[in-house]
Amino acid sequence: DIQMTQSPSSLSASVGDRVTITCRASQSISTYVNWFQQKPGTAPKLLIFGASSLQSGVPSRFSGRGSGTDFTLTISSLQPEDFATYYCQQSYNTPFTFGPGTKVDI
Amino acid sequence: QLQLQESGPGLVRPSETLSLTCTVSSGSISSSPYYWGWIRQSPGKGLEWIGSIYYSGRTYYNPSLKSRLTISVDTPKDQFSLDLSSVTAADTAVYYCARHKAPSSAITAVGQNWFDPWGQGTLVTVSS
């Protein structure tokens, strides 16, 4: 199975900050990475698919980059509603696997 | 707007079978090229893809669960279901269903896969 790791595991930030989360795959996975946002008590929400494509309805302050083994999710200007946990997920092959998450809080 | 809703028992005894159903509304489960997936989340193992099914009945399972897993589809009812047998405490989790966008009728074909939208999730506890 492809292992996904994320760093940091948590971070503290303020409204307006630029935040970058890193995801690393245990092998090259081209651009087969998706990013999700999860708030407490709710289901994960798709933000980015294919490493850099913004899902419809997702604010443009979210962006994704990367290919191969290293990927990033950037929030250009953190908003109050962005405090949440973020997960990467590989769709290069089955079984699809997720990273352990990065919690963004104040 | 497509919606998914999980239903089923919140408590299952060890060694018994966990059964859940996901009902799709405001959309058809026969839409192509969409699969329909199950994902679970537990404190110990995080998010784990369980498996996905096409409206034709074609399935892909996580090998770690395959020996205990059956996913089925009922297209007239726009429902798909999960049966996980011989459960233990390790199967305690929030179970989510989700629409699985696949590159074609085969999720292993070249192209992107992603899960969107998701149901709200249902907590299943395995305990005697």
Side-chain angles (χ1 to χ4, degrees):
Chain A
D1 298 2
I2 296 174
Q3 306 302 314
M4 305 296 286
T5 57
Q6 290 182 235
S7 61
S9 57
S10 66
L11 66 91
S12 295
S14 301
V15 173
D17 284 354
R18 181 181 181 88
V19 169
T20 297
I21 298 167
T22 298
C23 176
R24 177 164 290 175
S26 60
Q27 68 179 71
S28 180
I29 58 172
S30 184
T31 59
Y32 292 92
V33 161
N34 306 317
W35 288 95
F36 295 88
Q37 176 195 64
Q38 186 177 33
K39 297 179 182 179
T42 69
K45 172 189 172 184
L46 179 68
L47 299 176
I48 302 279
F49 61 91
S52 61
S53 296
L54 197 66
Q55 174 66 343
S56 176
V58 174
S60 59
R61 62 182 180 272
F62 291 93
S63 63
R65 296 188 62 179
S67 66
T69 60
D70 295 323
F71 303 87
T72 58
L73 172 70
T74 297
I75 309 171
S76 60
S77 178
L78 200 65
Q79 298 301 300
E81 60 269 30
D82 300 337
F83 291 97
T85 300
Y86 294 85
Y87 297 93
C88 59
Q89 175 243 324
Q90 67 81 17
S91 65
Y92 182 76
N93 61 18
T94 60
F96 303 125
T97 49
F98 293 80
T102 295
K103 185 176 182 180
V104 177
D105 57 22
I106 300 174
Chain B
Q1 184 177 352
L2 186 80
Q3 293 185 316
L4 298 93
Q5 177 69 58
E6 305 88 351
S7 59
L11 179 64
V12 181
R13 306 297 184 193
S15 79
E16 294 188 346
T17 297
L18 182 162
S19 296
L20 296 173
T21 295
C22 182
T23 301
V24 177
S25 58
S26 301
S28 172
I29 205 166
S30 302
S31 301
S32 177
Y34 294 110
Y35 274 68
W36 303 90
W38 289 100
I39 302 117
R40 68 182 183 181
Q41 184 173 31
S42 62
K45 296 192 73 175
L47 286 161
E48 181 180 28
W49 172 69
I50 298 170
S52 298
I53 189 165
Y54 201 51
Y55 72 90
S56 64
R58 186 174 189 176
T59 54
Y60 291 83
Y61 293 160
N62 190 322
S64 69
L65 298 169
K66 187 174 183 178
S67 64
R68 301 191 289 130
L69 181 63
T70 301
I71 298 177
S72 57
V73 64
D74 186 337
T75 52
K77 292 184 177 179
D78 283 321
Q79 293 179 333
F80 61 108
S81 299
L82 162 74
D83 287 321
L84 185 65
S85 64
S86 304
V87 296
T88 70
D91 295 308
T92 293
V94 176
Y95 285 75
Y96 296 99
C97 58
R99 186 176 65 176
H100 173 174
K101 170 66 171 65
S104 72
S105 60
I107 67 174
T108 52
V110 174
Q112 301 286 347
N113 289 270
W114 63 83
F115 299 102
D116 181 72
W118 298 45
Q120 66 184 28
T122 187
L123 174 62
V124 178
T125 301
V126 178
S127 176
S128 56

